[in-house]
Amino acid sequence: MEIIIEKGWKKELNQEFYDPYFINLIDYLKLEYISQEIYPPLNLVFDAFNKCPFNETKIVILGQDPYHEVNQAHGLCFSVPDGVAIPPSLRNIFKELQNDLGLPMPKSGNLVRWAEQGVLLLNATLTVRAKEAGSHQNKGWETFTDKVIETLSKQQNNLVFVLWGAYAQKKQVLIDAKKHLILTSVHPSPLSAHRGFFNNHHFSTINNYLVAHQKSAIEW
């Protein structure tokens, strides 16, 4: 299994790829991709990094697992390819965008346009078995993505880390709050969005922070 990842990320994370935990993870994934239906497709596993180069990252939005239904997962958390029905959590994200910034409801759930502006759409676990949520948790991915968060926190300045839901909020310990802005709320899932995701105004807060630190705002 070849690791195809943007050169800036490769430089920062290269030693991870030779660590025993990562070698074991890759060995596990090789068997999984042969014997099971795994999402996203192999060539898109690291697409969050390829669409958002290390040196251009301004924001990290953290998810947990890739979508586990057919044709949904394509390497970016919360995002789905063009032509795929918008999942409920993403629909609520768009509703908050509409509420916060007055933007119209998008017709597509493809968030590549965000990634290309410096939004790292990072799942804590980068792969999953079809129809088995959480099936690739605790196999090594979390060690890798924790390192991603730590590396960004140490190497960059004035990033925005967006942590929606209890799982994502546990990652605060990896982030230097003196250097970066950390935004938290409940998850945009229909089960919780009404308890504080709606009206959190995170999108306007992000853009105000970026502009205040001489960075370009995101065209959401």
Side-chain angles (χ1 to χ4, degrees):
M1 179 177 169
E2 187 179 1
I3 308 300
I4 300 172
I5 194 167
E6 185 268 333
K7 62 182 180 181
W9 286 109
K10 187 171 186 179
K11 178 183 176 183
E12 295 295 334
L13 300 171
N14 197 49
Q15 69 182 58
E16 297 300 300
F17 304 138
Y18 299 97
D19 196 287
Y21 87 86
F22 197 87
I23 293 169
N24 290 337
L25 170 63
I26 295 302
D27 287 343
Y28 170 77
L29 290 173
K30 285 177 182 176
L31 290 174
E32 284 287 281
Y33 271 93
I34 291 169
S35 62
Q36 305 286 335
E37 184 72 19
I38 305 299
Y39 303 137
L42 195 55
N43 65 314
L44 297 179
V45 171
F46 294 97
D47 219 38
F49 304 95
N50 293 328
K51 292 290 191 292
C52 181
F54 180 81
N55 290 325
E56 296 173 25
T57 301
K58 298 188 284 190
I59 302 156
V60 181
I61 297 179
L62 188 68
Q64 188 167 356
D65 251 11
Y67 295 120
H68 56 267
E69 298 293 340
V70 66
N71 294 330
Q72 288 185 316
H74 67 139
L76 312 178
C77 76
F78 292 109
S79 181
V80 292
D82 292 329
V84 174
I86 297 173
S89 291
L90 181 55
R91 188 165 294 280
N92 284 339
I93 290 170
F94 288 160
K95 286 179 181 177
E96 176 54 23
L97 259 174
Q98 194 172 39
N99 170 67
D100 188 10
L101 297 174
L103 297 178
M105 185 69 69
K107 291 182 169 59
S108 171
N110 192 333
L111 303 182
V112 166
R113 66 188 184 279
W114 294 6
E116 291 174 342
Q117 296 178 75
V119 183
L120 180 66
L121 294 162
L122 179 68
N123 275 314
T125 303
L126 298 188
T127 54
V128 69
R129 283 186 184 182
K131 301 186 183 300
E132 292 185 40
S135 49
H136 282 184
Q137 291 177 6
N138 303 314
K139 304 296 184 184
W141 275 132
E142 295 91 339
T143 303
F144 177 73
T145 54
D146 281 359
K147 183 66 175 181
V148 168
I149 295 168
E150 286 182 327
T151 300
L152 282 168
S153 178
K154 289 177 183 176
Q155 300 289 85
Q156 307 275 42
N157 292 305
N158 306 128
L159 302 184
V160 185
F161 290 86
V162 182
L163 310 178
W164 292 328
Y167 180 87
Q169 288 168 30
K170 292 176 184 176
K171 305 297 183 179
Q172 290 185 74
V173 296
L174 305 172
I175 304 164
D176 185 347
K178 295 177 182 176
K179 291 173 63 181
H180 307 287
L181 176 64
I182 302 173
L183 297 178
T184 64
S185 80
V186 298
H187 196 274
S189 161
L191 299 174
S192 56
H194 62 283
R195 298 202 310 269
F197 180 79
F198 293 133
N199 296 311
N200 66 22
H201 298 288
H202 280 180
F203 299 102
S204 58
T205 302
I206 289 167
N207 277 352
N208 290 338
Y209 181 85
L210 292 176
V211 171
H213 290 88
Q214 291 73 55
K215 299 183 182 186
S216 56
I218 304 298
E219 293 184 11
W220 302 105

